[in-house]
Amino acid sequence: MRIFLFVSYIIVVASHLITAQGVAVFNILDDGAIGDGTTDNTQSIRHTLIRAADYNLPSIVLVPAGDFLTGSLQIPSNVSLHLASNAILRASDNASLYSCVPSITTDTGPCDYPFLLVDHAHNVYLEGEGRIDGGANSPPGHLVRDYKESSNMLIPIEWNLPNCSGYSCRPKLLVVRNSSSVNLINITITNSPLWTITIVESDHILFDNVTIMGDRRWPNNDGIDLINSRHVIIRNSNIIAGDDCIAIISHGPSSMFNITVENMNLQSTSAGIKVSAYDRNSTGNMYDMIFRNVRITDTNRGLCVAPRWGSNIISNLLFEHMNIETRFFGLDWWGSAEPIYVTGLSTNADQLWTGMLKNITFRNIIAKGEQGFIVRGNTSILENIHFENISLTIARWSNVTEHPAHDYRPSQEPQMAWAKVDGIFAMDIDKFYLQDINIDYQQPRQSYYGQCLNLSNITQMVQNNIQCQNIDYFISGQNSIEKLHMIYLFISLAFFYYFIL
Ligand SMILES: *[C@@H]1O[C@H](CO)[C@@H](O)[C@H](O)[C@H]1NC(C)=O
Ligand SMILES: *[C@@H]1O[C@H](CO)[C@@H](O)[C@H](O)[C@H]1NC(C)=O
Ligand SMILES: *[C@@H]1O[C@H](CO)[C@@H](O)[C@H](O)[C@H]1NC(C)=O
Ligand SMILES: *[C@@H]1O[C@H](CO)[C@@H](O)[C@H](O)[C@H]1NC(C)=O
Ligand SMILES: *[C@@H]1O[C@H](CO)[C@@H](O)[C@H](O)[C@H]1NC(C)=O
Ligand SMILES: *[C@@H]1O[C@H](CO)[C@@H](O)[C@H](O)[C@H]1NC(C)=O
Ligand SMILES: *[C@@H]1O[C@H](CO)[C@@H](O)[C@H](O)[C@H]1NC(C)=O
Ligand SMILES: *[C@@H]1O[C@H](CO)[C@@H](O)[C@H](O)[C@H]1NC(C)=O
Ligand SMILES: *[C@@H]1O[C@H](CO)[C@@H](O)[C@H](O)[C@H]1NC(C)=O
Ligand SMILES: *[C@@H]1O[C@H](CO)[C@@H](O)[C@H](O)[C@H]1NC(C)=O
Ligand SMILES: *[C@@H]1O[C@H](CO)[C@@H](O)[C@H](O)[C@H]1NC(C)=O
Ligand SMILES: *[C@@H]1O[C@H](CO)[C@@H](O)[C@H](O)[C@H]1NC(C)=O
């Protein structure tokens, strides 16, 4: 229904154009915006957006080629913010040009200060060949206070804003709240000082051909945070982020479901994809999510399902057709190079995880990591976990002096546990399925290499065709030993042939 041809303007009416298809175009230049990279355009662009809102029908707000510096902006219903090729919409660092928007993450203070806001709106587009720049280390050094070399981490300047605390005082780049039909298409978003795109209590959200480029050294630089939202498609997109690329988080009583993530390239200094709960009030269930054709490279933790607190049921998650490569970034970043990490541990004694994780499938996955897979329940909360057709290579290639550990942060003791690197470490699970698994430990053999499978306290274990190369196949735990004799025999034979041939 919407029109992207700006070359075919026919009629000029007052200060907006009407395209051949009858869609009004409001050009920010008509309100005096100057694209020189230094003029503050906040008032002029806000004025353009108000004119578009008053128009009431679907319209385009055009940011033409140029570098437009501005404070925060709210994009109303029926507006398509179109960034022409070579257009940059640049976030100002002047705190007085940002306003408080009630934050859902109240633990960090009552206010968010988003650069772009979509609030109680319907039918909104952000698209075009141009770029939105949040200013974090752009130009280099901007908003940077310090650099911590040992963990290759930039230390941001904290903003002097009221009613927020700590890191939450930096602006989030785009916040969408209580809205529907919000579409990000063909757009590039760079250098967010905090979370890049936050979607809260919204539905019918589409990301298609979106490039999010954060700074890998920037803390809390998430790509997409989906909170309490439904009917979401994220596809054909690339995300490079300092924190999680895609975090799907429940908060409070709303359920989250019907979420598809496909055809993605992800790189993160934290998790590629994370499914989690925001705090102890997370009671809304999360279900029916599909993740497929995802390539995760040079990332700390690949796929992470780790609620931590609340009491919701997380079920029917499918992860398939993936290529995952995870390396260790050192202890300052959460995660320890696990391609797949599923845990049901509590944050602390006050904030217990009492929900359930069930029916989670990982299949057709090729993974290479400095750590193996970690799948750990606690009190009867992990059920029906499937791994099918998985190839996992364990190797060491990062230059961090420490080596991977069991990293359970933020959780009850132990937050970090020294343990050898097993292929699959699985503990406290009900109904665990392993089918067609190949695990290979690359030489040179590291002193901390553990065992192929390390399984304990698993009820109803089913295994078929597990192959282990260059490592001892060893199984511990009480419940599953008998069932495994046959497989052990098979693997021993495989080993025998491996070394003989
Ligand atoms: C959005 O546009 C539709 C027509 O497509 C119109 O019916 C509706 O009132 C508009 N909503 C707003 C908030 O402008
Ligand atoms: C920040 O913006 C306010 C409001 O427009 C303005 O009065 C002030 O001069 C700006 N500060 C800087 C350093 O540009
Ligand atoms: C925001 O901070 C001001 C003081 O800086 C305080 O008076 C006000 O109550 C705060 N608002 C909220 C919502 O906390
Ligand atoms: C907006 O979302 C909040 C939760 O984030 C919810 O409490 C509130 O009811 C919603 N408001 C509307 C008008 O939908
Ligand atoms: C993705 O968007 C860019 C502009 O940001 C455009 O040049 C490219 O053709 C788009 N690709 C597809 C497959 O639509
Ligand atoms: C996205 O880009 C592709 C390729 O240039 C183009 O065909 C498509 O119409 C664009 N979509 C939007 C919504 O701009
Ligand atoms: C799932 O979400 C998509 C995208 O918003 C929507 O087109 C589809 O109808 C939804 N499916 C169901 C079963 O609601
Ligand atoms: C949890 O919900 C209760 C009751 O709705 C509220 O008082 C409390 O502030 C909430 N806690 C958090 C961390 O949101
Ligand atoms: C388990 O999840 C899959 C999606 O991965 C779904 O197709 C299937 O119906 C679910 N099974 C049950 C028993 O809910
Ligand atoms: C497992 O659950 C028990 C009981 O809630 C708790 O005491 C223990 O600390 C939990 N372990 C971890 C690692 O979270
Ligand atoms: C074994 O795991 C189950 C959950 O599957 C849990 O309820 C039980 O406490 C665990 N037993 C031991 C001895 O840790
Ligand atoms: C490790 O160091 C070598 C030699 O300095 C370098 O070529 C390589 O890129 C580094 N690897 C990583 C993952 O940082």
Side-chain angles (χ1 to χ4, degrees):
M1 210 85 71
R2 297 179 42 275
I3 287 80
F4 310 101
L5 295 174
F6 299 96
V7 280
S8 60
Y9 306 145
I10 311 289
I11 323 162
V12 181
V13 181
S15 59
H16 68 263
L17 296 164
I18 303 287
T19 62
Q21 287 75 9
V23 174
V25 179
F26 297 88
N27 188 328
I28 61 168
L29 296 181
D30 294 339
D31 292 292
I34 298 169
D36 61 0
T38 52
T39 304
D40 170 19
N41 294 298
T42 311
Q43 294 316 320
S44 54
I45 301 177
R46 283 181 186 168
H47 191 238
T48 312
L49 287 162
I50 287 168
R51 288 199 299 126
D54 290 346
Y55 181 71
N56 273 331
L57 294 172
S59 68
I60 291 166
V61 168
L62 175 63
V63 181
D67 188 343
F68 296 91
L69 185 70
T70 172
S72 67
L73 302 172
Q74 182 164 359
I75 307 168
S77 286
N78 283 335
V79 163
S80 165
L81 184 69
H82 182 99
L83 278 77
S85 129
N86 298 317
I88 299 174
L89 195 64
R90 186 179 296 280
S92 164
D93 64 4
N94 183 340
S96 60
L97 302 176
Y98 290 76
S99 332
C100 169
V101 170
S103 174
I104 190 170
T105 55
T106 46
D107 58 327
T108 52
C111 291
D112 274 344
Y113 291 91
F115 173 51
L116 300 178
L117 173 68
V118 175
D119 194 4
H120 289 88
H122 175 73
N123 189 30
V124 170
Y125 285 74
L126 275 87
E127 38 92 9
E129 314 244 304
R131 176 162 76 87
I132 299 170
D133 192 317
N137 201 30
S138 165
H142 191 60
L143 301 181
V144 176
R145 181 165 62 79
D146 208 349
Y147 172 64
K148 190 171 173 187
E149 195 173 357
S150 59
S151 46
N152 192 23
M153 185 184 265
L154 293 165
I155 311 297
I157 290 171
E158 295 302 353
W159 290 46
N160 184 17
L161 289 162
N163 302 318
C164 56
S165 66
Y167 75 85
S168 72
C169 294
R170 289 179 250 144
K172 292 176 178 158
L173 196 140
L174 165 65
V175 172
V176 174
R177 333 167 53 231
N178 296 85
S179 294
S180 62
S181 297
V182 178
N183 308 273
L184 287 90
I185 302 173
N186 293 352
I187 198 151
T188 299
I189 302 182
T190 58
N191 302 312
S192 175
L194 191 65
W195 297 3
T196 307
I197 298 174
T198 307
I199 312 280
V200 180
E201 287 291 351
S202 295
D203 60 81
H204 294 91
I205 306 294
L206 173 67
F207 291 79
D208 196 351
N209 188 26
V210 176
T211 300
I212 296 176
M213 283 194 344
D215 191 310
R216 295 289 298 277
R217 301 163 297 175
W218 199 273
N220 314 109
N221 170 233
D222 294 20
I224 299 172
D225 289 275
L226 273 185
I227 305 178
N228 293 354
S229 294
R230 296 153 283 277
H231 305 305
V232 178
I233 297 176
I234 303 175
R235 66 184 176 214
N236 310 329
S237 296
N238 300 319
I239 304 177
I240 296 178
D243 211 315
D244 304 327
C245 285
I246 300 176
I248 300 181
I249 312 169
S250 78
H251 180 97
S254 302
S255 294
M256 293 186 74
F257 51 89
N258 188 20
I259 294 170
T260 300
V261 175
E262 61 191 357
N263 309 335
M264 304 288 294
N265 274 303
L266 307 177
Q267 282 185 10
S268 166
T269 316
S270 292
I273 296 174
K274 177 155 147 189
V275 178
S276 178
Y278 195 83
D279 71 11
R280 71 187 99 173
N281 285 4
S282 300
T283 54
N285 295 334
M286 304 170 87
Y287 53 95
D288 294 351
M289 303 187 190
I290 295 180
F291 306 85
R292 64 184 159 221
N293 302 330
V294 177
R295 193 165 154 265
I296 299 177
T297 50
D298 197 32
T299 286
N300 188 340
R301 182 174 270 165
L303 308 175
C304 167
V305 181
R308 301 279 174 246
W309 42 14
S311 57
N312 57 350
I313 296 174
I314 301 179
S315 62
N316 303 357
L317 310 190
L318 172 62
F319 298 85
E320 64 177 353
H321 303 296
M322 301 210 177
N323 213 306
I324 306 173
E325 187 199 272
T326 48
R327 73 171 167 96
F328 189 46
F329 284 72
L331 298 172
D332 280 337
W333 301 93
W334 286 0
S336 194
E338 314 88 343
I340 295 179
Y341 177 88
V342 181
T343 56
L345 307 176
S346 295
T347 304
N348 56 44
D350 289 341
Q351 313 197 57
L352 291 177
W353 158 242
T354 56
M356 194 170 194
L357 271 175
K358 60 178 181 181
N359 190 21
I360 303 186
T361 298
F362 299 89
R363 69 182 177 213
N364 305 331
I365 291 177
I366 297 173
K368 180 178 178 190
E370 293 194 279
Q371 175 62 279
F373 298 170
I374 293 181
V375 187
R376 181 170 179 184
N378 189 0
T379 41
S380 81
I381 45 175
L382 250 59
E383 184 185 292
N384 245 316
I385 312 294
H386 300 245
F387 285 84
E388 285 169 43
N389 193 23
I390 307 280
S391 155
L392 168 63
T393 303
I394 308 271
R396 176 174 186 141
W397 68 93
S398 71
N399 297 331
V400 181
T401 12
E402 308 101 0
H403 56 76
H406 283 189
D407 181 353
Y408 297 122
R409 288 174 291 178
S411 77
Q412 276 183 294
E413 294 305 314
Q415 299 240 357
M416 298 287 294
W418 150 247
K420 292 199 165 189
V421 167
D422 302 317
I424 299 180
F425 172 89
M427 184 174 171
D428 299 349
I429 302 170
D430 188 19
K431 303 192 188 78
F432 190 49
Y433 301 83
L434 296 177
Q435 164 91 37
D436 301 321
I437 311 287
N438 185 72
I439 298 174
D440 182 9
Y441 277 76
Q442 271 190 5
Q443 303 300 322
R445 189 192 172 95
Q446 304 293 321
S447 58
Y448 60 83
Y449 279 180
Q451 62 202 50
C452 185
L453 299 187
N454 183 346
L455 312 174
S456 54
N457 188 25
I458 294 178
T459 49
Q460 302 194 52
M461 173 92 209
V462 175
Q463 296 187 59
N464 258 310
N465 188 24
I466 317 288
Q467 319 242 5
C468 300
Q469 276 129 44
N470 297 322
I471 199 73
D472 298 331
Y473 181 86
F474 179 80
I475 293 159
S476 60
Q478 304 91 41
N479 305 336
S480 40
I481 287 178
E482 284 93 326
K483 284 183 203 161
L484 295 174
H485 274 328
M486 286 307 293
I487 293 154
Y488 186 65
L489 209 83
F490 172 73
I491 298 298
S492 309
L493 278 173
F495 245 98
F496 178 72
Y497 282 116
Y498 183 82
F499 285 112
I500 294 295
L501 298 175

